[in-house]
Amino acid sequence: MIKSYLIACILFLSTVFSSSAENSPLPCLNKKFSIVVHVVKDIAGNTNVLESDILLAIDTLNSHFTKICVSFEVCEFRMVENFQYDELKFDEETDELIVKNSIKNRINMYFITADEESPNVCGKATLGGIATGGNIYILKRCIGPGDFTIPHEMGHFFGLSHTFEEPASQIVDGTNCEITGDSICDTPADPYIDGENIANYVSNCRFTSEKKDGNGDFYDPDVSNIMSYYPCKCDFTNEQYIKMVNTYLSSNPKNW
Ligand SMILES: [Zn+2]
């Protein structure tokens, strides 16, 4: 079964990738990416996160990328001694942090205690950073069992937007899905507005909002999508996987 799957993947790679291949077989990159983990110490010199917990979180990350034959491994743990960056003033201090610490041709993932400019987010990543260069930032408290912060940020790093990107623009019937919202058609229109109370939208992982689009149709978003903000995350869609593969292929793959 594994063998036939690999052959199917290879055959697919020889074809032109389609941006609307909802039901197409997924491409297989057969690629392992190296992550350099940078753990920023606090003022007392403590890391406040276990390397074993980070490795478990990377195992979970890998489980969400097996469908496109991608995996990640931590090639190095590095400590950042300057505690100033542990409670990061993101806009002011990030450039300095990465110039001093990031390693070329690796995925640089920083673990910090707080992002002082976005106290309610669990992580940040450069959109499409796998192609353009960039970094990933994860709050140390956001890597426990069932936490999807790292897969979500890796989705951004591979070019994915939120399912609720430009929430009012995408209509429910899907007719403008390629040019609005997250520009992906197998993620239904998602009306969530960043900063609003999630409880106004979902209850027990059921979408309960009665918001309607411009046509008067009720929204029915995928509350289990990793790129949503709903607390029911489960997986990416096929078109999200294809976009991630294409983002990588648009880079200079030799760098990786
Ligand atoms: Zn996000």
Side-chain angles (χ1 to χ4, degrees):
M1 188 173 153
I2 290 171
K3 195 173 178 185
S4 64
Y5 178 61
L6 285 174
I7 290 168
C9 292
I10 291 164
L11 285 174
F12 185 75
L13 275 174
S14 68
T15 65
V16 176
F17 291 107
S18 165
S19 63
S20 58
E22 188 172 344
N23 297 311
S24 300
L26 287 170
C28 182
L29 282 180
N30 197 22
K31 184 75 189 169
K32 182 183 280 188
F33 294 96
S34 296
I35 296 175
V36 177
V37 166
H38 304 266
V39 179
V40 183
K41 292 185 176 179
D42 70 9
I43 194 167
N46 297 317
T47 59
N48 303 312
V49 64
L50 295 174
E51 291 183 3
S52 56
D53 285 344
I54 292 174
L55 292 174
L56 282 174
I58 299 302
D59 285 347
T60 301
L61 171 69
N62 283 333
S63 72
H64 294 291
F65 281 79
T66 54
K67 285 183 179 176
I68 50 172
C69 317
V70 162
S71 64
F72 303 90
E73 67 173 355
V74 176
C75 60
E76 188 179 359
F77 283 95
R78 295 167 69 99
M79 299 300 133
V80 178
E81 302 289 339
N82 188 341
F83 61 84
Q84 167 190 346
Y85 302 125
D86 192 41
E87 297 182 9
L88 190 64
K89 294 181 178 65
F90 200 86
D91 290 341
E92 292 174 30
E93 297 175 337
T94 302
D95 286 351
E96 193 177 275
L97 174 67
I98 62 178
V99 164
K100 287 180 179 172
N101 296 284
S102 285
I103 309 285
K104 268 192 170 181
N105 302 335
R106 298 281 186 272
I107 296 174
N108 290 276
M109 187 177 287
Y110 290 87
F111 285 83
I112 58 177
T113 293
D115 172 353
E116 292 204 340
E117 283 158 12
S118 309
N120 296 320
V121 306
C122 263
K124 285 182 178 172
T126 307
L127 184 64
I130 194 73
T132 60
N135 301 273
I136 298 174
Y137 311 87
I138 305 291
L139 265 58
K140 294 169 184 173
R141 63 178 168 80
C142 297
I143 64 163
D147 196 297
F148 279 80
T149 300
I150 293 180
H152 178 101
E153 298 308 327
M154 197 60 81
H156 286 316
F157 199 70
F158 276 73
L160 298 185
S161 301
H162 293 130
T163 54
F164 56 88
E165 196 78 17
E166 302 172 0
S169 65
Q170 193 170 333
I171 53 176
V172 171
D173 68 14
T175 50
N176 65 354
C177 61
E178 289 185 6
I179 54 169
T180 57
D182 60 2
S183 305
I184 286 179
C185 286
D186 66 355
T187 57
D190 182 349
Y192 177 68
I193 295 172
D194 195 4
E196 287 194 349
N197 188 348
I198 295 282
N200 293 339
Y201 290 82
V202 290
S203 173
N204 294 323
C205 291
R206 288 171 191 262
F207 189 73
T208 53
S209 164
E210 297 195 343
K211 278 192 177 182
K212 295 177 183 175
D213 71 2
N215 291 337
D217 292 329
F218 287 109
Y219 285 99
D220 185 20
D222 176 6
V223 297
S224 68
N225 195 280
I226 289 176
M227 299 313 294
S228 76
Y229 264 13
Y230 303 120
C232 319
K233 297 184 185 59
C234 182
D235 220 337
F236 298 111
T237 65
N238 275 18
E239 288 193 35
Q240 285 176 320
Y241 280 118
I242 290 168
K243 180 162 184 177
M244 288 195 281
V245 167
N246 287 338
T247 301
Y248 165 69
L249 292 176
S250 74
S251 71
N252 183 352
K254 283 195 302 243
N255 287 344
W256 299 98

